[in-house]
Structures are given as C-alpha cells and as structure tokens.
C-alpha cells in the first residue's frame, strides 16, 4: 500500500493562462477568455525555497530518494514531487520513468567542432521515449480526477506511452494516429498495451482537429502535450539533467521541435530552478526542426515570432512531422528568455547525425538526431563556441524506428526522393548486412578485409 502524499511534499498548484494570466479550472486545456494555452504555477513557492525546504535540502532529498524502495521515489519524475502538482500517492501511475542516463559523445563532439558534448537520453524511458515523464503525471491526474477514458492524437510516441500508462492505471485509452506515417514499432506498442487505435486518413494535425471535437463531446481526458500536467512531468528531465551535472548548467541545451511542448517543458524547468536557487544561471535553449516541418523556424524568421505560420509538414523523422504546433508560444518564450535560437536541418543531415550518434554505441530515433545536425550548423554559424558544453536532449530510442535505420544501412532511405542525389555523404556510415555461405573461411576473409 502506497502512502498518500504528505502535506509538506505537495505543492499547491494552479492553472494559469499564458496569454491573459487568468486562472482556470484544473482539468481545462485552454483559457475560457482568450483560448490561449494554460500552464501550471505554484503560488505558494517562495524565493529560493519550496514547502520550507531550501535549495540544498531539496538537492539532498532528491538524491536520497534514489535508494528508497517506495515506487514514487524510484520514479525519476516523482522523486522531484516538491516541484510537481500534488497527486495522492495511491493515484500515481508509475512505470519507474525518468532516471535516464547522460552520455558523453566525444566523436560527435569532434564532428560538430566542440570540445564537450553530452546527451540526455530520454529514449531510455520505459516505453522508449521522453513522453513517459509527462504521461505519468497527466495520466495520474486523470485517474485522480475520476476519468475512465484518456485519449491522444499522436505521431506515435505519445500513443505508445499513453496506452502503457492507461493500462497500468486501469483506464481505457483511445489513440488517433495518421494512417501510414508513423513507425510500426510505435504502433505495435499502442496495440500491445491495449489502446483502441484508429489510423485516420489524415496527418497529425488532422488527428488533433478530430480529437479536439471528441473531447468536447465525450467524458474523455485529453493527453496530448497541450495538457499542462504533461509539461510538468517532462520538465523533470531538466531537473534531473542538472542534478546529473552537479547543478552546474551546460552553456547550451538543444531540443528537437515538433508540437513544441518539450522545449517549453525544459525551459520551464530551468526558469523554476533559477527561481528556487537550484542553479545560478540559465543555459541557452535552442530548438531544431526538420526543414520539411519547420513552422517555428518560419514563424520566427518571417514574423519575428508574432504569428504562427503553419506548414504542410513532411519529413522522414515522422515523430516531428507536425505543421501546426500547439505550444509554439511557450517554446518561443523559452528561446527568447534563454537567448537560444531556432534552426532547421535537411533530411540528409538528420540521417547522417543519426548514424553518427549510433556509431557511438548510443543510437536514437531520427527526430532526436535533429539536435546533433542542428548543433553542427550552430557551430558553423558561430552561435555555439567550440569551448561551450552542450547537452542534446535525445527524445526516442533507436529501436522506435528500425525501418528508417535498416533502409539507411541498405542505402535505399532516399530512393526515389529529391534527396537521392545528396546521399553520397552517408556512404561511410552505411553497414548493410552481409549475406555469406555458412563457411568459417568466408567469415575470416571478411574479417581480414575489414581490418585492412
Ligand atoms: N522527438 C520525438 C521522438 C517525439 O516523439 C516528438 C513528439 C518530439 C521529438 C517533439 O516533441 O512535440 O514536444 O516538440 N512526438 C509527439 C507524439 C508529437 O505524438 O509522439 P514536441
């Protein structure tokens, strides 16, 4: 039996509109007055302390919980519960998310032209993506609020995560995904975890439109990333990264951009850490998009961030194949506040960066590799200096999209696409499987030729 949250652990939270600042009811997603998105705020927080605990006692408490046997403490999200909305412990759905590793990437650093490159690998979460850190909080809230059904539109990872957390928490789940444009690995997860899964003959943005209507008509709780509880959970990756770096911020954090909630979450984490005295300065936070799914890049370059320019999205990095990102204003604020930037990368640049991360024995899915591809560009432009420490947020596991990886190594990833002429740069990284007779000599010959 898990104990209920004690009063001193719980932070009293409120939903507040990011546009007009009005407060909203706890299960809303948009402001009833101006329709802007909502975010969670903690009115009871004091400067440099939460619930009577100062920065150094919080740091110690969070570290100590790593040795606890309590499921909430074993979660890399809930061990930071002082900075999360209060959920009764017996309502918490956890699959021991978070606690993901930070790796050094020395070869990728050299390729990018910097000395020190780190990767926080959120693909090492239970369902293989960063979505789990947010889903544990939002699904737990749904359970606490008494919902029986949860739903999401997804490019794949959200649906896999939501289906898992719903199953663990005894909730029913409805998934809307674009027909044909998500990886089989992600689809198979949603099916196995028991979601009702609909492939709609539209893209992600079309799925969002349909779902927004459904949640207004049915008692179904929306678990897309406009859900402010998801952002709270996802922000713990920022707290954990800083903890892993001894609370010494890197100079720069680079995040892939799709619906733009994760960059918002990491930025919120840094803002709050500064407010609570956990860190003394803020890193720059930059967002990288695929050229074929670049609404934030266009919005900033063409309107100075005043008005969203939706695009018709197309990229092989299907996780970020999003043209009308819901959280663009939140991400824009993070970039502007932190002094970061936005950049876009080509399909070939994404494939190359993914192979380079793979060749370090780490691997990630294509959408995560935009971070390294973008970093290379930012170094070339002089926006990132060679002596800066940069942390990439890798969002999904290599095995999420094995079709992309196999096609890459076989050399047919870009066959019949406009990029087929540019893919020569990828050759040195391609390792197609070699079919041989079952002969010892044949394998030894191959080994010897590989040594030469
Ligand atoms: N990386 C991966 C692996 C993703 O799955 C996503 C988003 C992103 C990056 C972008 O994050 O949307 O917060 O900017 N995937 C969503 C999904 C949309 O449905 O799984 P974002």
């Amino acid at each position: 039996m898990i104990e209920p949250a004690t009063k001193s652990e719980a932070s009293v939270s409120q939903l507040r509109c990011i546009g007009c600042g009005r407060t909203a009811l706890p299960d809303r997603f948009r402001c009833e007055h101006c329709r802007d998105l909502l975010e969670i705020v903690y009115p009871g927080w004091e400067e440099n302390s939460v619930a009577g605990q100062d920065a150094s006692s919080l740091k110690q408490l969070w570290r100590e919980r790593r040795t606890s046997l309590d499921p909430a403490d074993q979660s890399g999200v809930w061990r930071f519960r002082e900075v999360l909305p209060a959920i009764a412990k017996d309502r918490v759905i956890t699959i021991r998310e978070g606690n993901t590793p930070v790796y050094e990437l020395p070869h990728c650093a050299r390729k990018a032209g910097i000395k020190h490159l780190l990767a926080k690998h959120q693909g090492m979460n239970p369902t293989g993506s960063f979505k789990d850190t947010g889903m544990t909080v939002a699904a737990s809230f749904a359970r606490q609020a008494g919902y029986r059904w949860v739903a999401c539109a997804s490019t794949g990872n959200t649906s896999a995560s939501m289906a898992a957390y719903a199953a663990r928490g005894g909730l029913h789940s409805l998934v809307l995904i674009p027909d044909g444009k998500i990886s089989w690995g992600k689809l198979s997860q949603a099916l196995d975890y028991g979601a009702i899964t609909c492939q709609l003959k539209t893209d992600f943005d079309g799925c969002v439109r349909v779902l927004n209507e459904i949640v207004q008509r049915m008692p179904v709780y929306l678990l897309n990333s406009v859900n402010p509880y998801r952002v709270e959970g996802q922000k713990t990756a920022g707290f954990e990264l800083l903890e892993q770096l001894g609370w010494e911020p890197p100079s720069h954090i680079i995040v892939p951009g799709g619906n733009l909630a994760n960059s918002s979450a990491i930025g919120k984490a840094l803002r709050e850490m500064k407010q609570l005295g956990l860190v003394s300065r803020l890193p720059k936070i930059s967002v990288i998009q695929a050229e074929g799914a670049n609404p934030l890049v266009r919005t900033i370059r063409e309107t100075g961030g005043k008005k969203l320019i939706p695009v018709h999205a197309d990229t092989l990095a299907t996780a970020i194949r999003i043209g009308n990102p819901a959280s663009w204003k939140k991400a824009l604020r993070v970039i502007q506040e932190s002094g970061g930037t936005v950049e876009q990368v080509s399909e070939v640049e994404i494939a190359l960066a993914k192979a380079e991360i793979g060749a370090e024995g780490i691997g990630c899915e294509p959408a995560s590799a935009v971070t390294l591809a973008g970093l290379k560009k930012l170094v070339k432009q002089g926006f990132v200096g060679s002596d800066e420490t940069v942390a990439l947020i890798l969002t999904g596991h290599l095995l999420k999209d094995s079709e992309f990886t196999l096609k890459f190594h076989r050399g047919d990833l870009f066959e019949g696409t406009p990029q087929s002429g540019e893919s020569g740069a990828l050759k040195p990284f391609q390792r197609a499987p070699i079919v041989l007779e079952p002969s010892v000599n044949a394998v030894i010959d191959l080994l010897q030729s590989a040594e030469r």
Side-chain angles (χ1 to χ4, degrees):
M1 177 70 188
I2 302 172
E3 296 296 309
T6 61
K7 220 171 171 217
S8 65
E9 285 177 349
S11 274
V12 176
S13 62
Q14 256 176 14
L15 285 192
R16 193 180 62 189
C17 172
I18 62 164
C20 69
R22 286 187 173 92
T23 52
L25 292 172
D27 62 351
R28 299 298 146 90
F29 305 101
R30 289 196 178 267
C31 175
E32 289 187 352
H33 300 274
C34 69
R35 305 305 301 156
D36 233 327
L37 288 184
L38 302 172
E39 68 175 355
I40 291 184
V41 292
Y42 301 92
W45 283 9
E46 300 135 48
E47 200 62 30
N48 295 330
S49 83
V50 178
Q53 310 228 47
D54 66 9
S56 68
S57 50
L58 283 172
K59 288 175 185 176
Q60 192 183 341
L61 176 66
W62 293 337
R63 191 185 321 212
E64 279 168 8
R65 283 188 182 144
R66 298 193 82 145
T67 57
S68 157
L69 298 179
D70 179 339
D73 290 346
Q74 289 180 353
S75 158
V77 171
W78 294 102
R79 72 188 175 86
F80 296 103
R81 55 188 168 273
E82 285 70 19
V83 294
L84 293 175
I87 305 270
K89 271 200 188 174
D90 66 349
R91 301 284 88 190
V92 166
I93 309 167
T94 172
I95 327 180
R96 315 300 187 269
E97 52 290 317
N99 293 324
T100 58
V102 174
Y103 298 119
E104 301 263 352
L105 294 179
H107 298 290
C108 293
R110 212 167 309 129
K111 290 256 157 59
I114 61 168
K115 290 200 192 91
H116 202 193
L117 180 60
L118 302 167
K120 170 94 174 138
H121 206 326
Q122 292 294 90
M124 300 296 182
N125 268 292
T127 76
S129 85
F130 71 104
K131 305 287 182 180
D132 295 345
T133 55
M135 206 54 77
T136 182
V137 177
S140 300
F141 174 79
R143 185 153 81 150
Q144 174 158 285
Y147 283 93
R148 291 181 57 238
W149 277 88
V150 290
C152 71
S154 178
T155 57
N157 280 326
T158 298
S159 53
S161 182
M162 181 192 75
Y165 281 85
R168 298 296 298 169
L171 304 169
H172 301 289
S173 63
L174 170 71
V175 161
L176 303 187
I177 47 171
D179 186 24
K181 295 289 185 189
I182 79 161
S183 80
W184 294 117
K186 298 173 189 177
L187 173 58
S188 66
Q189 285 181 290
L191 300 177
D192 226 37
Y193 302 142
I196 294 191
T197 305
C198 308
Q199 292 179 280
L200 302 192
K201 293 181 179 152
T202 177
D203 56 11
F204 170 80
D205 302 298
C207 290
V208 169
R209 277 194 295 275
V210 172
L211 187 61
N212 283 343
E213 285 259 327
I214 291 173
V215 295
Q216 278 173 27
R217 294 211 215 152
M218 307 289 291
V220 173
Y221 188 59
L222 180 69
L223 284 181
N224 268 37
S225 60
V226 293
N227 184 309
Y229 296 89
R230 276 198 43 205
V231 172
E232 291 308 287
Q234 284 175 212
K235 92 184 174 193
T236 59
F239 282 81
E240 192 174 83
L241 170 65
L242 268 292
E243 181 188 58
Q244 287 163 309
L245 301 181
W247 301 100
E248 189 52 46
S251 347
H252 213 122
I253 297 178
I254 300 187
V255 193
N259 218 12
L260 298 171
N262 202 33
S263 35
S264 318
I266 303 289
K268 189 170 193 283
L270 267 301
R271 198 183 301 135
E272 290 179 359
M273 279 187 265
K274 179 101 191 310
Q275 183 192 344
L276 297 175
L278 293 158
V279 295
S280 52
R281 63 187 166 82
L282 294 181
K284 294 193 190 91
I285 299 175
S286 293
V287 176
I288 314 295
Q289 297 195 300
E291 271 175 13
N294 62 352
L296 185 67
V297 176
R298 291 197 52 188
T299 296
I300 291 180
R301 292 190 183 160
E302 294 170 34
T303 78
K306 291 201 177 63
K307 193 173 172 297
L308 178 70
I309 302 187
V311 303
H312 179 76
D314 199 12
T315 168
L316 291 176
T318 51
I320 49 172
R321 197 171 179 275
I322 295 173
N324 190 11
S327 297
W328 70 275
K329 279 191 196 165
K330 289 186 179 179
L332 179 73
R333 179 177 159 204
V334 166
I335 292 168
Q336 289 173 340
E337 260 181 19
S338 74
T341 189
V342 69
E343 191 44 273
Q344 57 185 356
V345 291
S346 73
E347 297 293 293
V348 172
E349 287 167 337
I350 296 171
L352 180 61
K354 179 180 167 304
E356 288 167 344
I357 295 167
E360 292 232 38
I362 302 298
C364 63
E365 68 164 288
S368 308
V370 300
T371 53
L372 176 61
L375 170 65
K376 291 183 195 169
K377 285 188 135 174
L378 298 184
V379 174
K380 276 207 185 96
Q381 294 159 9
F383 189 77
V384 174
S386 64
D387 53 355
E388 288 187 44
T389 299
V390 178
L392 308 179
I393 306 293
L394 300 183
T395 44
H397 197 278
L398 172 68
L399 293 176
K400 281 286 192 172
D401 193 352
S402 40
E403 206 182 333
F404 182 109
T405 308
L406 285 173
K407 282 186 173 167
F408 173 90
H409 288 287
R410 290 193 186 122
D412 52 14
L413 184 62
F414 293 114
E415 217 171 72
T417 73
Q419 291 85 20
S420 62
E422 308 161 43
S423 53
L426 306 176
K427 282 247 155 51
F429 282 92
Q430 284 164 352
R431 307 257 178 279
I434 301 158
V435 181
L436 288 178
E437 293 303 322
S439 136
V440 172
N441 283 343
V443 179
I444 288 178
D445 284 351
L446 189 73
L447 269 184
Q448 285 171 338
S449 67
E451 278 233 312
R452 259 177 253 133

